[in-house]
Structures are given as C-alpha cells and as structure tokens.
C-alpha cells in the first residue's frame, strides 16, 4: 500500500459521516453552552474523530466513538511500523531499547507528527465527504438544496444582545454588484475579460518601448481609456439603478417593539429576534413566527403571490398560548420565548422548530410562519418574531444569484479576436523572417543611407537577426488595428441606442397603467433575436388572474350568447357590445359584465329554475364577507368561488353574512337566513362540495362540482335536461371555459338525523377517518336533481393566443412553468393555444416515485419514436415543393398538402419555380412550415412538480430532456421557484440554446436570473420580477414585438455592423502589409500616423453607427406578419465564423486593390508639369482617400433603410474627411501637408479613384444581384412585397394567421375542482374562522339554532382545522 492509499484509508476509517458528528456534538454539548453550540460549524473528517476523546461525557455513543478512535489510532501505528520495515526494528534492537528520555522524546515526536497529519486529514476529510464515497450523507445534487453551515438556529425574542452573538444576517437587501470601493477593481476585472481590452493593454506597454514602436502610445492609450471609461459609466449607471431599487425596498417602514413600545423603523433596521407588528394589506418585512393576531383562534390570512404566484388566500394560525397576549404591547414586549429552528433554506413549504416559553416546549411548523413577500389579507393586525431576515429569508434564497450575462455574439467575438491575434502574429512572423532575409541580402549594404541602430550588432547575420526580432514587435504595433479597440466602443454605443428605441416604442406602451417597455440592461439586445426557448409563468403572465362569469345553462337553456334578432346569427362579443344593466340592484358591481339580458329577465319574472340556480351559488361556498369603506367585499380562497358568488350577487342573490351555523343572503331586497347544518368539504378526490341547509323546516342539499362527478350522482329521469346540459358543457369546454355543474336534493328529516349520527361516528373515528367520511358523503350526495352548469373564463391577457401562435411560427418553443394545479394549467394551455386538438397526444407525468416516473417517460419516448418513424415512412413517398410562392406566411397553418409553388424574381419580376429560401430550405412564406413537417409538433408534455424532482435527477434528466424536446409544448405545474430555475439551467446546459424567462412575481425571480434573457411583467404581483429582469413590459403580448421586431432588428443590425466593421478594418490594416514588400519590411507605415489614429474614430465610425442603430430589412409590421424572418438568429446565420471569414477575405482583397492600383499608377509617375509623383507621402494620401471613398460606398450599398441620419452620417463622413485633412495639415501643420492637394490637382488621381472604386464595387453588385435573383432569402421576398405595396400605395389585408382563442377543443372541465382547496369548510363550521360578536356583558357568542345544530363534543372533533 503506498502512502496515498494509506492516507485515503485513514481518512475513511478515522472520519465518521458528518451527520453522526453533528449528532454527537449536539448530544455532548453541555446545556450551559448550548447557545454557542448552535452556530458551531459541522466538523468533518479526521478532525472530528481527533476531537472526540477530549469531550467530557458519559454518553454511550461518545464512549463508542472514543473506542473507535483508539482502534483507528492503533491501526495507524501498525501501518507506520509496516512502512518503516525491518530496518527500523534492527535499529531499535541495536540501541538496546533506549532510555526513558529517548522514548518520551520519540513519543512526543510521534504526537507532533500525528497532530500535523490529522490536521491535514481534517481538511482532506472535508473535501472527501463532500464529493467522495459517502455521497448518501449529503443532499442529492438534483435537489440543489441549501447546504447548512449552522447545525441549528437559536433565537430569543426581544433580546438583541443575546441574538447578536450569532451574527445572523440583518434585513438589509443588496442586489447591486458594486460599491464605491469595489467598483473600480471589479469593473476593470470584468472589462479585461474581453480579450481585445487585454490585448490593447499589452500593446500599450509595447508602444512605450522606443526601440520597437513607430507610433506614439497615445494612439492606443486614448481609445483604450475611452472604451474603459464609457463602459464603466454605463455599468455604473446600471448598478446605480439597482442601488436605487434596493434603497426603495430597504426604506419601507415597519413597526417594531422596543422596550414594550411600538416604534416605526425601516425594513433594513429589523433584526432577527425583533417582534414586529403587521397590518392588513401590508407586505411582511421578514420571515416571522406568528405570536398573536386580530382574528379568532389566532388565525390570519395571507396572499403568497410574491412567493408562488397564487392569489388565493392561505390560512396561518399561531399558538393558542401566545394568542392570548392579544395586542397588548407590554405583554408582547415582555415575551422572552426561545426559538430553536432549522437553518435558513429555500424550501417554501417546510419549517421545523420548537418554542420554549415558561418552562414548556411547543412544536412549530410551517403553518405558524409567515414569509417575507406575503401580503396580510382580511386580518387587521398580527405580531410575529423575526426568525430569518434579509438574505436568509426564503424569498431571497429562492431568488438566485445575479449572474454576469454575456451574449453569444460576445463569446463569438472573443473567439474571433483570438483568431485575429494569431493571424496578426503570423503576419508579424512572416514580416520578421522577410526582414531578416532582406537585411542579410540587401540592407547591410545600405548602412550609410539606412544606418542600423546602436543596439544592433555590426555583424551582418547577428545584426539582421536582431533587426528582424525588433521588426516583429514593430509590425505587431503597426498592424494592431486589425484588432480594433473601437469595435467595443461602437458595440456599446449601438446597444445603448437600441435600448432607447425599445424604451421609446409607443406600441409597447400600456395605457391602462401608463407603463412602457424598459430595457433595464444595455448589453443583451441582439440576443433578443436569437431566442429558442421561452419559459413563462402562467398566473399574471399569460392570464389576468381574473375569473369572470361568462355563460351558464339552466334547466337545459343556454345563457350568455347573443343573437341577431333578424338573422338569428350569433353575434361576436366585443368591447363595444352593450352589457346588461344591473344598476337597479343596489349591491351590483359596476365592473361585472354580462351580455345576455334574457337571464336577468328570467330572474325578474320569478323563474323558479333560475332562482334555485343563483340561490345555490349564493349559499354553497366558503367565501367570507367583509364590509370595507361601506362596501360589501368578498374574501375567497379561490378566484372561481369569488366569481360565482359575485355573479349571484349581481343577479340579485346577495350573500350577506355567515356564522358557524347560519348563512344570510338577500334576494331582491328580502333577507333570507338559512341554518347551516353541515358542510361536505371539497377535496381533490371528491371534486365537489355540498352544504346542507334548513329553512322553514325544509332540508335541502346544495352541491356543485365537476360534471362527471355530478352526473354520476343524479337521479334517474330528466333525460332531456341532462342531454342539453351535456351539449352545453361540451360547447363551453370547447371555448376554453371552466365549467361546473349544480345540483340539489331535498332531504327527509328522519333520513338526515340517521345520517347525521353516522356522520358523527365517522368524524370521531381514529381509524381511516377520511375513507369513512367519504363513504358517508356518498350516501347523501346521490339522487340529486340537475339545475344547470356555470362557465367561468380565466381571462387571458389581451393577445396571448396570437402572440404564442406567432412565436411558435418563429421557431420558438414555449414552456409554461407554474405553481398552479395540473388541471388549471392544462385548461389555460388550451385557452392560449399551447395545447390544441390537432396534437396527437398530450403526455401527463404525475407519478410520485422515481421508477414510476421513469416508466412513464420511457412509454412516452416509445410513442414519439413510433410516430416519428410512421411519418418518416409517409414522407418518403412524397417530394417537398421546389419553390415557394410569395404570399402571406400565415397560410402555413392551412392545408398540409400543397402543390409546388413558384417564387417571384426580385430583379426581373419573373416567376421562378426553382427558387429557394436561405432561411428555411424548402420552407418559406407560403410553404410547409417546420411545425407541419416536424412530427414533434404533434405532442405536448405536462409534468407535475413532484415528478419533476425525479425527472431532474442526473440519471433521468437525459430521458426527460429527450421526451420534452420531442414535444411542441411543455407545461410544468406545481413547481417551486428553484425548480423553475433548474429547468432553465437544464435547457441552457444540454441544448446550448438561448433562453428567455418571463414572469411577474417574486416566485419567478430565480428563473429570470437563470435564463439568458429575463423579462419581467409589471403586473398584479409586485415589482420583484421587474427589478430582477433585463427587460420589463406591461403585457405578455408585447413580448411578440420585443422579440420579432426589436430583437430581430437588433440581431440583424449587430451582425451587419460586425461584418462591415471587420471588412473595413482589414481593408485599412492590410495596406501596411502590402507596402511591406516595397519598403524592405521595415515597419514603415503607408498612412499618416494621424490618419491611423482617427480612421476608426472620425472617418468611418458614424456611418457604421447609423447602420447599427437605424437599419432594417423590413418594417415592423412585416416583421410580425412573417415570423419566419426570425429564424436566422437560431442558427447564427447572419454572423458566424464563416461570415467573418468572408468579411475578412473581402477586406483583404479590397486592401490589395486599394494599394496596388495607386502604387502601379504613381510608381515612376510624373505630372504634365514635370513634378515627380512617386513619393511616399503622396502615395499614402491617395491610398487613404480611396480607402475612405470605397468603404463609404460599401456602407451605402449595405444600408437597406435610409433615414435622414444615415444620409448625414454617410455623406457627411466623406466631406468630414477632406475637412479634417486640410485642417490638420494646413492649420496644425501635419507632416503630410500639401500631399493630398497635389494629388487632387492631377487627373491621374481622379482616374485612379474611379478605377479603384469600379474594380471593387462591380463584383459586389454582381454578386448581390445574382443571389437576390437566383436564391432570394425570405427577407428579400418580403422586402420586394413591401416595395411593391408602397408603389401601389395601397394597404394589403392579410388573412388572419393565428387560430382563435375560441376554437373547439377536447373537454377539460371544472376549473372549480382544480383551483379550490380543502379545509375551509371545517374552519367555518367550527367557528374558528368567525369573528365573535360581543354581548352587552362583554362576553362573546355565536348565533345558534339550538334545536337542530350539529353541536356537542363530537362536532368540535369533526370540524377541527388541519392547521
């Protein structure tokens, strides 16, 4: 065994698992130092074992640990003896055993050796235990949970001094990246990650060496400092915005108890252990343990939209012992309970801890904790102890880290810059070798005329070698402009300007909230044009989270549609359609809209069926009424319930109040009081709820639930009503509405009393209580009479189906990640056209066990493969169309079988059947789209959060990804914020695709930060998503314009800018290289040094900036009308390595022509007046002038969209060149004074210029005309259509591309059953949810019906809330 193996073995033998060490430390810590032990870090490795014998304890486990340690120490001694071998034993024999002193010294040395080795093993043990063999002791990697540093957290209420010893995080929030001190070093570090910046820094150092530099360092220092300064200013501005956002959050006010008095403090000043007071409709400042509330039994209601996106109310309950303190500030200020709880983590639905107070211990769970980001609802006030603050809160721990985001073009530019540097070095190496040869063969004979520097040896070979080495660095400086530092300045300026174009777009302004789109970052614009995957939240992002009572059917008659009185045709409802007038009802809601007046007429005429229908809606629910500002308001645990009760209210059946055993409604102004006998509560299995009421001695059961559940429990007969109602249900479901069936049953008193007794027996049963209650419920919920059905619309945001359809045509896959229930998510999927009836199948993964999830995914994988093989076989018998007709792209949604079409020539206007689009080979505006040809469009995947936990396991994520990638749409429901981020990371890692995440709540922050692009919606759930996003919009429909218009334009402009920029720089720099062949490779420049310094800054910068900011191939309307125009960004079609190579070759060819034609013209040239024209300065001026003219002509050809700014900058730059040349040479006194004037006075110059421009521009024009005519891209076709439309001066009306949101689909019903929650019925009937009414003597009472209530002890057992 070698030493490494021995060390590793010692580590695993000596070090127990971390969990055991943690338990031992907790069990062996004396009570007196328990607080200190709370923050003791986990000891791992051999260090834990080494520390174990020193603990003073009589615990058996510790004794065993000590024995294990001693055994391990003995084994180590034996191994050391074995390694020392026989030589060690012989030496000990010769020494005769040694003296006691030597033995003691040896023992001390061994102890020191062992102490050092065990210290090293402690460090190694920590590394081994985290990533070694005992991986089971750590959380699975796919859970990516919080790795605790503390073993537990101890908090003492109202004792800051005690809590300060643990250094818990305060409540200050920081999302900014820099501070005043760290800004300069961190920002420079980020900027020098760009290789070009680092390259120019090295170049600047070289230019400071006089022996090798032919240019002043200022030519590099000024542009470099300018780039760094501009970028730093932009980054500082962005971070300043984040600082301001943090400041706004941190300065929010909260009320905290200080020495028994309430003091108003900022959120940032709140600390762990403080007791704070929260009031109705206020955000909670930190994670708190509830102590007391204004509601009976210590209840409080919260809205968790910031955490999980759900706006339905959730219930929390404090301990009864602490609830007795009420709102007595003195009592609460004296509260000194000690809380021992788990360490900070990101699990929203889990909390474990204990409260020690007055000598007793009370268990704590998640139902007693209110988290930061929640909003207090329907609760006047409550008090709580802060347990987690600031960055330790669950909200912040689910937010994810702010990442430095860079675009794919940035990464490509880094790679290209590396390639250019190697190209530059190869040119320098060539020039170095050529210089050495020239100096050896020619140059040494001209030392009288061209003397060598004093540093150069006089020997010819040695001198030529030294000169060649110096020339290498000289050419590195002369040719450095091939790596342009101005590139990054121009890129940042273009991005900055494009961000303002997004901010100023009036078509993305939402008037209702006066909110405009905002680019919160200026570095990611072009990546908006390369999105392949969109990850969207549902609630508040796709939907308005507003339920509306849309239609209903009563006794077989459908209400809600309106028909033309003359033609009896269905009239489409629009915003201009007149609504029913409910103003005669004093309790009506002005925002309630219903369009069919016949239903209100039936109610007013006393139609018994209509009255029973709305009476059921007003009575059968768990809604709580509340008077607020003199107005009746409802607090519902689901928006579906609120919509139904609101509908009954507007039709004259007003729910007024409830008590534990009564419900009061008002029917057309008359009060009706019903005795509440029992609530048969909702759960996900029953999918229905019922109430049993008594009025005037008549017992009646009212029931509502899913249609299939209700139909199974109807009495025989009424076939006609059942059939018609079923037809109406199918119609409603086909329109994407959430349906619910209503039924009643009259009960006999004797039957009910008998049933009530058995119900009480089942309620107090200790075995299988739920199963027995369900069986009892089945006995009474049968033989019911069908009243009708409701149809509720979960209103989508405006334009959502059209936006999703258009983004799908653009080749973007959309995944919905929501915290809602599976059925609700599916319902919305059909409404917004993510799911359609045209799909072959919708896969649902809902298993709870790893093996079952794997089985489901394998089954779906086989289904996809079978379908793919079948379609591939069918396609083998058909040929794709040769061409594509120029027509509206939206016809791709039509017939799948088309005849081969033709394409119009953009140049000759003739029809060519052999034309093909570059963007989509064989597919274009009118041909078969990818979605039609691709069998993956036939499937959709729906997966639950508990299944996703296993699907994201490292061993299963590949299978999950394969199935998900084979589906057109993916919906993940019941997912946590962290799971959302994990799904995004999986696609980023596995697909190398550009991702976009969009959401509106704090539960979407981690997803937004994980994606390449994060978009926040200014919605109903606060501003957390907006603050964490890169772009913010007010409505989901604006995403279409953000991507298909601004994103595509930004990508198109940036690619065009880069192609031209590299072209013009290669054309400029390579002129020096060609000149090297005629100047003995001496690193002499062909241009004036001032021209070299300002070429990119003054002469060519403005035209290319105008191109990058304003250019567009097609207008915004056609960009949306033809979404296939977006697809080049998916494959980096417009700028990639090949496009760069072409631009570089074009620039090299241009530089060669630019130099050789003037050189051939002016070599040995003489003017008619006898002046010699073949001088260096005149040649340099001519080449420089021709260069500026040629690159200006080239950008004029590249510009597809001319604005006033383009004209000014293109032609103005040309004029500006001549002005600056004359100003510099004649006013400042440049070295090239008179050269250009002399050249321009001769006809030779003009002939040379015309010849050069012709030679360079004619091939470009011929190339472009050929490809536009023979192989036009979709952009060329659309631009032609756009031009023809402008010429004809008429507007073209195109066929609607996207399917309607009201198209028929498969029946997915009963949104009520999907959105409702179990438990509120028991709270109501137990009285715990009620506010008690005071008696005159100060006591409290509940209104009761003593003769018929379900009172008694058994009732209290039955109705206990599950809290």
């Amino acid at each position: 065994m070698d030493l490494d193996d021995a060390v590793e073995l010692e580590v695993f033998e000596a070090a127990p698992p971390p969990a055991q060490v943690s338990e031992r430390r907790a069990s062996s810590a004396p009570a007196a130092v328990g607080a200190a032990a709370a923050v003791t870090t986990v000891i791992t490795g051999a260090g834990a074992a080494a520390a174990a014998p020193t603990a003073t304890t009589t615990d058996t486990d510790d004794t065993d640990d000590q024995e294990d340690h001693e055994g391990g120490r003995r084994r180590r001694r034996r191994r050391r003896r074995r390694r020392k071998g026989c030589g060690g034993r012989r030496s000990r024999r010769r020494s005769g055993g040694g003296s006691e002193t030597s033995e003691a010294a040896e023992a001390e040395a061994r102890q020191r050796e062992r102490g050092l080795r065990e210290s090293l093993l402690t460090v190694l043990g920590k590394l081994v235990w985290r990533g070694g063999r005992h991986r089971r002791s750590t959380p699975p990697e796919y859970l990516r949970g919080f790795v605790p540093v503390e073993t537990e957290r101890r908090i003492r209420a109202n004792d800051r001094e005690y809590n300060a010893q643990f250094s818990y995080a305060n409540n200050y929030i920081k999302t900014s990246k820099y501070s005043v001190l760290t800004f300069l070093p961190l920002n420079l570090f980020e900027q020098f990650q760009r290789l070009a910046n680092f390259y120019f820094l090295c170049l600047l150092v070289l230019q400071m060496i006089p022996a090798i530099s032919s240019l002043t360092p200022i030519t590099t220092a000024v542009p470099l400092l300018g780039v760094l300064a501009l970028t730093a200013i932009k980054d500082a501005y962005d971070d300043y915005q984040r600082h301001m956002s943090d400041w706004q959050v941190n300065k929010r006010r909260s009320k905290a108890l200080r020495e028994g008095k309430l003091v108003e403090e900022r959120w940032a000043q709140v600390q762990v252990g403080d007791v704070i007071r929260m009031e109705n409709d206020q955000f909670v400042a930190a994670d708190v343990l509830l102590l007391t509330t204004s509601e009976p039994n210590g209840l409080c209601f919260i809205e968790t939209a910031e955490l999980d996106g759900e706006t339905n109310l959730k219930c929390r309950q404090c301990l009864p012992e602490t609830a007795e303190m009420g709102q007595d500030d003195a009592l609460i200020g004296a509260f000194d309970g000690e809380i021992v709880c788990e360490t900070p983590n990101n699990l929203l639905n889990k909390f474990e801890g204990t409260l020690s107070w007055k000598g007793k211990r009370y268990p704590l769970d998640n139902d007693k904790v209110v988290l930061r980001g929640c909003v207090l609802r329907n609760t006047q006030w409550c008090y709580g102890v802060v347990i987690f603050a600031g960055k330790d809160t669950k909200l912040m721990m689910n937010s994810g880290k702010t990442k430095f985001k860079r675009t794919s073009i940035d990464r490509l530019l880094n790679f290209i810059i590396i390639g250019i540097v190697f190209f530059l070095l190869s040119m320098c190496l060539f020039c170095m070798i050529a210089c050495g040869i020239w100096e050896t063969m020619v140059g040494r004979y001209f030392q009288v005329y061209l003397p060598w520097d004093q540093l150069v040896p006089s020997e010819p070979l040695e001198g030529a070698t030294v000169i060649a080495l110096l020339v290498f660095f000289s050419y590195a400086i002369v040719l450095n402009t091939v790596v342009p530092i101005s590139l990054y300045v121009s890129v940042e300026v273009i991005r900055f300007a494009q961000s303002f174009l997004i901010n100023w777009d009036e078509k993305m302004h939402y008037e209702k909230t006066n909110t405009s789109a905002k680019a919160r970052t200026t570095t990611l614009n072009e990546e908006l044009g390369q999105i392949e995957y969109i990850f969207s939240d549902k609630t508040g992002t796709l939907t308005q989270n507003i339920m509306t009572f849309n239609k209903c059917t009563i006794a077989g008659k459908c209400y809600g549609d309106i028909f033309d009185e003359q033609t009896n045709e269905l009239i489409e409802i629009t915003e201009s359609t007149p609504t029913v007038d409910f103003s005669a009802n004093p309790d009506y809601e002005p925002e309630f809209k219903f369009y069919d007046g016949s239903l209100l007429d039936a109610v007013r005429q006393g139609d018994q069926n209509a009255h029973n229908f709305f009476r059921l809606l007003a009575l059968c629910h768990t809604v709580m009424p509340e008077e607020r500002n003199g107005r009746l308001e409802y607090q519902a645990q689901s928006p579906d319930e609120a919509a139904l009760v609101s509908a009954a209210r507007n039709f004259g059946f007003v729910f007024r109040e409830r008590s534990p055993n009564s419900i009061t409604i008002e029917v057309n102004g008359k009060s009706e009081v019903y005795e509440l006998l029992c609530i048969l509560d909702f759960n996900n299995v029953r999918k229905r709820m019922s109430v049993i009421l008594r009025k005037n001695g008549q017992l009646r059961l009212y029931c509502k639930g899913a249609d299939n559940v209700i139909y199974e429990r109807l009495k025989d007969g009424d076939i006609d009503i059942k059939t018609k109602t079923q037809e109406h249900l199918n119609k409603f479901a086909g329109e994407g509405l959430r349906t619910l069936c209503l039924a009643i049953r009259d009960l006999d008193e004797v039957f009910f009393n008998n049933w009530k007794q058995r119900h009480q027996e089942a309620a107090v049963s200790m075995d299988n209580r739920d199963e027995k209650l369900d069986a009892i419920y089945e006995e009474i919920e049968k033989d019911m009479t069908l009243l009708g059905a409701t149809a509720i619309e979960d209103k989508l945001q405006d334009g959502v189906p059209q936006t999703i359809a258009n983004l799908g045509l653009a080749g973007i896959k959309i995944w919905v990640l929501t915290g809602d229930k599976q059925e609700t998510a599916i319902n919305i999927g059909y409404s917004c056209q993510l799911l359609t009836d045209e799909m072959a199948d919708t896969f649902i993964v809902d298993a709870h066990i790893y093996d079952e999830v794997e089985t489901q995914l394998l089954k779906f994988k086989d289904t996809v493969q079978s379908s793919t093989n079948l379609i591939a076989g069918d396609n083998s018998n058909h040929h794709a169309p040769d061409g594509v007709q120029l027509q509206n792209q939206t016809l791709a949604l039509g017939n799948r079988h088309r005849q081969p079409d033709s394409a119009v020539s953009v140049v000759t206007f003739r029809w060519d059947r052999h034309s093909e689009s570059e963007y989509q080979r064989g597919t274009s505006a009118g041909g078969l789209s990818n979605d039609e040809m691709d069998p993956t469009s036939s499937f959709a995947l729906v997966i639950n959060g508990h299944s996703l936990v296993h699907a994201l396991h490292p061993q299963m994520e590949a299978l999950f990804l394969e199935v998900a990638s084979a589906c057109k749409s993916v919906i993940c429901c019941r997912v946590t914020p962290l799971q959302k981020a994990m799904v995004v990371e999986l696609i980023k890692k596995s697909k190398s695709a550009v991702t976009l995440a969009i959401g509106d709540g704090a539960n979407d922050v981690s997803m937004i930060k994980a994606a390449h692009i994060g978009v926040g919606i200014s919605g109903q759930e606060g501003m957390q998503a907006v603050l964490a996003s890169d772009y913010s919009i007010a409505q989901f429909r604006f995403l279409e314009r953000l991507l298909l218009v601004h994103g595509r334009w930004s990508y198109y402009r940036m690619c065009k800018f880069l192609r031209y920029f590299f072209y013009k720089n290669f054309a400029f720099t390579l002129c020096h290289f060609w000149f090297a062949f005629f100047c003995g490779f001496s690193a002499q420049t062909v241009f004036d040094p001032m021209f070299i310094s300002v070429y990119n800054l003054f002469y060519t910068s403005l035209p290319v900036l105008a191109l990058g900011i304003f250019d567009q191939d097609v207008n915004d309307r056609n960009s949306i009308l033809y979404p296939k125009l977006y697809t080049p960004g998916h494959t980096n079609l417009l700028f990639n390595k090949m496009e760069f190579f072409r631009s570089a070759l074009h620039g090299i060819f241009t530089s060669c022509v630019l130099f050789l034609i003037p050189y051939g013209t002016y070599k040995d040239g003489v003017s008619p007046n006898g002046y010699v024209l073949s001088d260096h300065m005149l040649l340099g001026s001519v080449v420089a002038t021709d260069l500026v003219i040629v690159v200006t002509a080239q950008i004029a050809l590249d510009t597809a969209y001319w604005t006033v700014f383009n004209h000014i900058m293109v032609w103005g730059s040309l004029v500006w060149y001549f002005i600056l040349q004359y100003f510099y040479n004649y006013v400042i006194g440049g070295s090239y004074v008179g050269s250009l004037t002399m050249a321009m006075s001769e006809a030779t110059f003009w002939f040379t210029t015309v010849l050069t421009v012709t030679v360079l521009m004619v091939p470009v024009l011929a190339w472009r005309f050929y490809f536009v005519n023979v192989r036009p891209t979709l952009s060329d076709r659309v631009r032609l259509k756009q031009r023809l439309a402008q010429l004809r001066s008429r507007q073209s009306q195109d066929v609607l591309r996207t399917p309607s949101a009201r198209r028929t689909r498969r029946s997915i019903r009963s949104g009520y059953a999907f959105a409702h929650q179990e438990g509120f019925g028991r709270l109501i009937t137990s009285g715990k949810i009620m506010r008690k009414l005071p008696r005159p003597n100060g006591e409290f009472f509940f209104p009761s019906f003593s003769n018929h209530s379900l009172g008694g002890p058994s009732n209290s057992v039955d109705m206990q809330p599950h809290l």
Side-chain angles (χ1 to χ4, degrees), residues 536-538 540-544 796-797 800 804 816 828 832 1036:
S536 174
D537 181 37
K538 181 192 75 69
T541 303
L542 299 178
T543 68
Q544 300 178 27
L796 294 172
Q797 291 187 12
V800 167
I804 289 178
V816 173
I828 294 299
C832 63
F1036 182 84

Side-chain angles (χ1 to χ4, degrees), residues 734-858:
E735 294 174 358
L737 304 177
R738 301 153 71 100
T739 59
L740 195 67
C741 280
L742 312 181
I744 60 174
R745 179 188 178 185
D746 290 327
L747 302 176
D748 178 76
E749 189 77 34
V750 176
F751 169 77
F752 173 72
N753 290 333
N754 182 34
W755 177 88
K756 180 182 66 174
Q757 182 178 357
R758 287 182 286 111
H759 172 266
Q760 295 295 343
E761 293 173 357
V764 298
S765 173
M766 301 303 296
D767 299 324
N768 302 320
R769 178 186 299 177
D770 291 338
E771 289 79 2
K772 292 179 178 178
L773 283 175
D774 285 342
I776 292 294
Y777 292 161
E778 288 287 346
E779 293 182 12
I780 202 167
E781 290 177 325
K782 63 181 182 179
D783 297 331
M784 296 186 291
T785 302
L786 181 65
L787 291 180
T790 61
I792 295 176
E793 181 181 14
D794 185 0
K795 291 185 71 67
L796 294 172
Q797 291 187 12
D798 295 337
V800 167
Q802 292 79 4
T803 298
I804 289 178
N806 231 20
L807 293 176
L809 288 174
I812 300 173
K813 288 190 174 183
I814 299 178
W815 290 26
V816 173
L817 311 178
T818 177
D820 276 352
K821 294 182 176 65
Q822 171 186 309
E823 293 83 356
T824 308
I826 292 176
N827 230 5
I828 294 299
Y830 277 102
S831 298
C832 63
Q833 301 302 311
L834 274 173
L835 307 177
T836 63
D837 274 338
E838 284 74 18
M839 291 180 173
D841 200 358
T842 298
F843 304 141
I844 296 180
V845 181
D846 55 2
H848 289 76
I849 304 173
Y850 181 96
D851 294 336
E852 292 180 359
V853 173
E854 186 176 29
T855 302
Q856 288 182 331
L857 290 175
L858 288 172

Side-chain angles (χ1 to χ4, degrees), residues 549-563 568 570 573 594-600 602 607 609-610 613-614 651 720-733 735 737 739 787-792:
F549 183 80
N550 194 284
K551 297 177 183 179
C552 66
T553 174
I554 303 174
K557 184 177 181 180
C558 183
Y559 297 94
D561 291 323
I562 53 176
F563 297 89
N568 203 30
L570 182 65
I573 296 175
F594 199 77
Y595 299 93
D596 185 2
S598 62
L599 181 56
L600 183 60
D607 185 295
N609 292 321
F613 181 88
F614 285 111
F651 278 94
D720 186 49
I721 293 178
K722 292 178 182 177
T723 304
K724 290 182 178 179
T725 303
Q726 186 65 53
E727 293 174 357
H728 296 156
L729 284 169
N730 292 335
K731 174 178 176 292
F732 297 155
E735 294 174 358
L737 304 177
T739 59
L787 291 180
T790 61
I792 295 176

Side-chain angles (χ1 to χ4, degrees), residues 1072-1130:
H1072 297 299
F1073 181 75
W1074 306 123
F1075 184 58
F1077 289 90
F1078 302 95
C1079 68
F1081 300 96
S1082 61
Q1084 172 67 45
T1085 60
V1086 68
F1087 301 125
D1088 181 1
M1090 181 56 65
F1091 178 85
I1092 296 174
S1093 299
V1094 301
Y1095 170 76
N1096 280 314
L1097 188 61
F1098 292 131
Y1099 299 152
T1100 59
S1101 62
L1102 293 182
V1104 74
L1105 286 178
L1107 179 80
I1109 295 172
F1110 300 110
D1111 198 44
Q1112 54 182 256
D1113 51 350
V1114 299
N1115 58 29
D1116 56 342
R1117 178 177 177 273
N1118 284 322
S1119 295
I1120 295 175
L1121 199 60
Y1122 298 92
K1124 281 292 182 187
L1125 290 167
Y1126 188 84
T1127 54
H1130 294 160

Side-chain angles (χ1 to χ4, degrees), residues 881 883-895 898-904 911 924-928 1118 1121-1124 1274 1277-1278 1280-1281 1292-1295 1297:
V884 183
Q885 186 178 4
L886 178 64
Q887 57 181 332
N888 193 323
Q889 183 177 351
T890 59
L891 295 179
L893 286 176
N895 193 347
R898 299 180 181 274
Q899 298 299 322
D901 296 325
S902 301
V904 68
W911 294 97
S924 182
L928 292 175
N1118 284 322
L1121 199 60
Y1122 298 92
K1124 281 292 182 187
L1274 179 59
R1277 300 170 186 272
V1278 176
L1280 170 64
K1281 181 178 179 181
S1292 60
Q1293 299 294 329
D1294 297 290
V1295 181
R1297 304 173 320 288

Side-chain angles (χ1 to χ4, degrees), residues 1-10 79-80 82-83:
M1 179 186 296
D2 60 14
L3 181 59
D4 293 338
D5 292 336
V7 169
E8 183 179 4
L9 183 60
E10 286 181 13
R79 282 194 292 272
R80 282 199 301 273
R82 209 176 295 126
R83 285 198 297 271

